[in-house]
Amino acid sequence: MADERDSRRDNSYRDDKGRQRPQSRRDPRRQRSALRPADRRRAADPARRAAYDVLRAVDRGAYANLELPRILRSAGVHGRDAAFATELAYGTVRMRGLYDPIIEIAAGRPATEIDPPVLDTLRLGVHQLLGMRVASHAAASETVALARSVNGAGAAGFVNAVLRRVSERPRESWVAEVTAGRDRDEALAVEFSHPAWEVRALRTALLAHGASTEESVDGDLVRLLAAHNDPAAVALVARPGLSDVAELVEAGAEASALSPVGARLEGGDPGAIPAVRQTRAAVQDEGSQLLALALAAAPVDPADDASPADGAAGGDLDTDGSEERWLDLCAGPGGKTALLAALGAQQGAVVFANEISEHRADLIEQTLRAATDAGIEVMVGVGDGRDLGEEEPQAFDRVLVDAPCTGLGALRRRPDARWGRQLGDVPDLTRLQGELLASAVAATRPGGLIAYTTCSPHAAETRVVVDDAVRRGDVELVDARTYFRDAEGRQVDGLGDGPTVQLWTHLHGTDSMFLALLRKTPPNGPDAPTSEDS
């Protein structure tokens, strides 16, 4: 008799690999009867199955924005179903930092003790219940059908029990419970689903880039975190000389108020636009467009000697010395390179694109297809950007350093990006950023310009790196705000105190891009360090 009672209390199930897994503490017989027999279909609908497959791929290290289109095509999911799958997959990946603590309470155990495939199914269900306009009964029954299909019948009962408990309370009640007792930044981290170290880094960045008081920082921080969870509109760029904004508007986009070469597409497939398909235009954040435009617009000082140094890349570019030579030091996958190439062609400049990865160099050439077909000369090379300054000293008039970074400014576009970095990554990244910037300075001729940019507002990756370069004495900062002009030609608001520029997602609707413009000073110029300074 005791054995019989114990067996009834055995709250477990076997997962899809036959392993014993703990079940909910509720009576499993009640769980099995929670759905009407008519609702217990086995097949998951294709859109939800596609979203599940994306989550499993992300857990294995894939990028959601690369996996989702492939999975949708493979499953034949189109139109409204594809839009639903996209919102479900991206929203679930984005918000798992909030959903996991809720699941833990509803399941009565840590998320780490739930089989990962089952946990992904639960996350999808919770997002439908708390983050989408899906009726509770549909969210639960459809997710249980998915669980039965991909996790097994035993897991489906567990999923049903957890989702029924989650559905009993509104989102606000769950948020209040899972944030209770935490300090302010940790509570914000859970509520807005960011790692806590990122919340603290963003608070510090707001202070470093112009927020004046702790109260204003707190308000801006909440707005910034919330903006990271709002799906971004598709931003398009019309590459000058190859396309124009009017062509994009005619294809269904709306002209950007922020970028003079930009447009926004509120819905639909950008690949259906001929200019995009032909690489005369492209998907590109308006912040990235403004950075390239600023580098192209800022004047360089006249060169004392228009010819590059012996053995420099300028000679390899087969120019007569009268053209400017521009370099994109970390060019892959080529979006900024293509815009610089189009702008450079209008200014009589030749662009050189450097990329350390062969694969990404191939992507650059694909991105440049329309430009090269139009006769715009772009030289694509493979090499370590940290070595280029020594190999080709003083060879370029303008150099872009779009440095690898934590990506804290682009979290809305890459739903999985917030979970891919750790605080311990920052020192190695800042070391690399400093080395790349030093190489760019060495590769720039006196009087030339270096644009140092990151898609992160993190102070360690922005001002600290730039201040270190300025302290070395061979560059000086130029006020970059002057060259940030909107579609009407007016200076963009909210760029910070200068001379660097910081864009913010919650203020500008762009990625939170940083830009410093630095001018190379002559080695024996008035700003060169003396022996006493060094």
Side-chain angles (χ1 to χ4, degrees), residues 99 102-103 121-131 163 166:
Y99 296 154
I102 294 173
I103 290 168
T121 303
L122 284 168
R123 289 165 172 164
L124 290 168
V126 173
H127 185 57
Q128 292 170 72
L129 288 169
L130 303 182
L163 294 185
V166 172

Side-chain angles (χ1 to χ4, degrees), residues 159-179:
V159 168
N160 178 49
V162 173
L163 294 185
R164 294 296 178 184
R165 186 171 182 193
V166 172
S167 69
E168 291 168 358
R169 297 164 58 182
R171 179 189 179 105
E172 294 75 14
S173 174
W174 280 115
V175 169
E177 179 166 352
V178 297
T179 58

Side-chain angles (χ1 to χ4, degrees), residues 71-126:
I71 289 171
L72 292 177
R73 285 194 301 269
S74 177
V77 178
H78 307 287
R80 293 179 63 184
D81 286 343
F84 178 86
T86 300
E87 183 179 357
L88 178 56
Y90 283 2
T92 302
V93 172
R94 219 178 256 121
M95 297 305 298
R96 77 182 201 193
L98 169 64
Y99 296 154
D100 283 5
I102 294 173
I103 290 168
E104 290 180 342
I105 293 172
R109 72 191 59 158
T112 54
E113 293 182 6
I114 300 172
D115 198 38
V118 177
L119 181 59
D120 278 341
T121 303
L122 284 168
R123 289 165 172 164
L124 290 168
V126 173

Side-chain angles (χ1 to χ4, degrees), residues 45-65:
D45 77 273
R48 287 177 172 86
R49 175 58 191 262
Y52 172 83
D53 289 341
V54 171
L55 264 64
R56 296 306 305 134
V58 169
D59 282 356
R60 294 189 295 268
Y63 296 126
N65 63 323

Side-chain angles (χ1 to χ4, degrees), residues 9 110 203 254 263 282 313 330 408:
R9 292 173 182 160
R203 180 185 292 280
E254 181 180 348
C330 313
L408 294 187

Side-chain angles (χ1 to χ4, degrees), residues 75-429:
V77 178
H78 307 287
R80 293 179 63 184
D81 286 343
F84 178 86
T86 300
E87 183 179 357
L88 178 56
Y90 283 2
T92 302
V93 172
R94 219 178 256 121
M95 297 305 298
R96 77 182 201 193
L98 169 64
Y99 296 154
D100 283 5
I102 294 173
I103 290 168
E104 290 180 342
I105 293 172
R109 72 191 59 158
T112 54
E113 293 182 6
I114 300 172
D115 198 38
V118 177
L119 181 59
D120 278 341
T121 303
L122 284 168
R123 289 165 172 164
L124 290 168
V126 173
H127 185 57
Q128 292 170 72
L129 288 169
L130 303 182
M132 297 177 70
R133 295 177 300 278
V134 178
S136 295
H137 67 88
S141 63
E142 292 291 344
T143 306
V144 170
L146 173 66
R148 187 174 290 111
S149 175
V150 298
N151 305 132
F158 173 62
V159 168
N160 178 49
V162 173
L163 294 185
R164 294 296 178 184
R165 186 171 182 193
V166 172
S167 69
E168 291 168 358
R169 297 164 58 182
R171 179 189 179 105
E172 294 75 14
S173 174
W174 280 115
V175 169
E177 179 166 352
V178 297
T179 58
R182 302 175 187 265
D183 69 29
R184 179 60 171 158
D185 286 346
E186 288 179 346
L188 290 174
V190 172
E191 180 176 359
F192 293 100
S193 190
H194 289 63
W197 78 266
E198 291 182 0
V199 174
R200 296 186 183 99
L202 291 170
R203 180 185 292 280
T204 302
L206 286 164
L207 279 168
H209 293 289
S212 56
T213 67
E214 201 59 42
E215 290 74 18
S216 66
V217 169
D218 209 47
D220 277 336
L221 180 58
V222 169
R223 292 171 60 202
L224 177 59
L225 296 173
H228 287 168
N229 293 334
D230 289 335
V234 175
L236 303 175
V237 60
R239 291 166 176 161
L242 302 174
S243 179
D244 56 32
V245 173
E247 180 181 7
L248 300 181
V249 170
E250 187 176 344
E254 181 180 348
S256 169
L258 188 63
S259 168
V261 295
R264 290 193 173 196
L265 187 66
E266 293 300 330
D269 178 12
I273 298 175
V276 174
R277 193 167 57 250
Q278 297 160 8
T279 72
R280 295 182 293 110
V283 175
Q284 185 176 51
D285 184 75
E286 290 153 293
S288 295
Q289 298 173 34
L290 292 175
L291 300 179
L293 290 167
L295 176 58
V300 296
D301 288 344
D304 294 333
D305 179 3
S307 299
D310 291 341
D316 296 335
L317 293 176
D318 193 25
T319 70
D320 61 7
S322 61
E323 297 174 311
E324 283 193 7
R325 294 169 291 274
W326 298 4
L327 168 66
D328 189 346
L329 189 67
C330 313
K336 294 185 183 70
T337 306
L339 180 52
L340 286 174
L343 295 168
Q346 296 183 331
Q347 297 177 216
V350 179
V351 173
F352 180 87
N354 178 75
E355 172 54 45
I356 195 171
S357 161
E358 289 272 6
H359 169 67
R360 287 168 67 85
D362 292 340
L363 293 178
I364 296 170
E365 292 182 340
Q366 294 173 27
T367 302
L368 291 167
R369 188 178 71 248
T372 54
D373 287 350
I376 297 174
E377 187 175 11
V378 185
M379 305 294 290
V380 180
V382 177
D384 191 328
R386 292 171 291 185
D387 301 329
L388 201 143
E390 182 178 351
E391 295 169 353
E392 303 179 22
Q394 300 187 35
F396 299 96
D397 300 88
R398 301 172 197 263
V399 178
L400 172 64
V401 185
D402 185 15
C405 66
T406 57
L408 294 187
L411 296 182
R412 64 185 183 142
R413 294 195 183 277
R414 284 270 314 279
D416 48 281
R418 68 189 68 185
W419 312 116
R421 290 290 188 187
Q422 305 293 329
L423 180 59
D425 297 334
V426 175
D428 287 342
L429 282 169

